[in-house]
Amino acid sequence: MTDRVLLVTGASRGIGEATARRAAGAGFRVALVARRQESVAGLAAELGADRALALGADVAEWEAVSGAVEETVRRFGRLDAAFANAGIGMGTSFFGDGGTDPAQWRDMVLTNVAGAALTARAALPALAGSGGHLLLTGSVAGRYLRKGSLYSATKWAVTGLAGAIREEAVGTGVRVTLVQPGVTDTDILDEELRKKPKLAADDIARAVLYALEQPPSVDVNEILVRPTGQER
C-alpha cells in the first residue's frame, strides 16, 4: 500500500485524525481535509510533507470540496480512497423540550448529508480511474430510531446514500463501505452518552483500515462497531 492515496474529511480530530494516523503508518499518503487548513497543518507536519497534505474546505460547499480533491490529485498524482467522515452532532427536540436552537440545525444537516454526498461526487470520478474505494461515516444511530434526534435522521440519510452509491458503482471497480460506529469518545458526545461504554476513535480507524486492506475483489459494504455493552 506504499503509494496509495487516501483523502480524509473531518481530519482535524476524532475518527478522521485517528484514521489519517493509522493510514499514514500503513503506507498511505494522506490528504487531510478540515474547514480550516490550519487545524490540520500540525498533523500534516507531524506525518511529513512527503506523506501528508493539509487542505481547508467546507465539505458542504461544492467548489471547496471538489477543489480539495483536485489539489490532492495534483499533489500526489492519483486518488485511491476517500473517507467522507466530516460530521456534526447536536441534541435536538422537535417539541422544544431542550436541545439546541433550531437555527443551528441547518449546519448539521448540510455537513452530515450534503457534505457526504458532495465529497462522494467530487471523489468518485478519480476513484473510478484508480479502481478505488469510497468510505462514509454513518452511525448506529442511522440504523435505529432515536427519539427527537435530527442527528439520527442525518445518519439514516448517509446509510441510504452509501447504498445508492454502491449500486451506481457496480461495474466501475469502485468499492463502497459504510462505517457505522456505536458510541465513540469524540467531542460530539452529550453528557448522557459520556456516561455509557465508549469506543476510542482509533477503534474505528482500525475498522476503516480493515476495509481498505482487503483485495480489490472484496467489497466490505458495511462495518458496524459498538462498544461492548451498548444495547443499540
Side-chain angles (χ1 to χ4, degrees), residues 4 79-82 124 126-134 172-176:
R4 294 172 72 190
L79 182 66
D80 298 281
L124 280 165
L127 296 178
S130 63
H133 199 155
L134 174 71
T172 68
V174 174
R175 296 178 288 171
V176 180

Side-chain angles (χ1 to χ4, degrees), residues 89-91 151 182-199:
M90 61 182 68
Y151 172 80
V183 179
T184 304
D185 192 9
T186 66
D187 59 4
I188 71 171
L189 292 185
D190 59 28
E191 289 304 314
E192 181 180 353
L193 288 176
R194 289 189 183 280
K195 300 173 185 176
K196 296 181 179 293
K198 296 181 290 295
L199 296 163

Side-chain angles (χ1 to χ4, degrees), residues 40-205:
V40 286
L43 178 58
E46 179 185 337
L47 296 177
D50 61 334
R51 179 68 43 198
L53 171 66
L55 296 167
D58 183 341
V59 295
E61 298 291 338
W62 168 246
E63 290 187 0
V65 71
S66 61
V69 171
E70 290 169 3
E71 181 59 27
T72 300
V73 174
R74 275 196 295 269
R75 169 68 179 275
F76 293 128
R78 58 186 295 135
L79 182 66
D80 298 281
F83 185 21
N85 166 73
I88 296 173
M90 61 182 68
T92 55
S93 167
F94 295 103
F95 282 86
D97 298 328
T100 54
D101 186 330
Q104 299 176 284
W105 296 1
R106 182 176 183 273
D107 195 33
M108 179 172 66
V109 174
L110 286 175
T111 300
N112 294 7
V113 182
L118 293 175
T119 301
R121 174 62 182 84
L124 280 165
L127 296 178
S130 63
H133 199 155
L134 174 71
L135 305 99
L136 304 96
T137 297
S139 173
V140 171
R143 294 174 65 98
Y144 300 98
L145 295 174
R146 296 287 193 262
K147 181 176 68 176
S149 176
L150 181 58
Y151 172 80
S152 175
T154 67
K155 292 303 183 178
W156 276 82
V158 175
T159 298
L161 177 65
I165 294 171
R166 191 200 68 79
E167 290 202 15
E168 188 177 3
V170 170
T172 68
V174 174
R175 296 178 288 171
V176 180
T177 300
L178 174 65
V179 182
Q180 299 171 299
V183 179
T184 304
D185 192 9
T186 66
D187 59 4
I188 71 171
L189 292 185
D190 59 28
E191 289 304 314
E192 181 180 353
L193 288 176
R194 289 189 183 280
K195 300 173 185 176
K196 296 181 179 293
K198 296 181 290 295
L199 296 163
D202 189 59
D203 294 328
I204 308 305

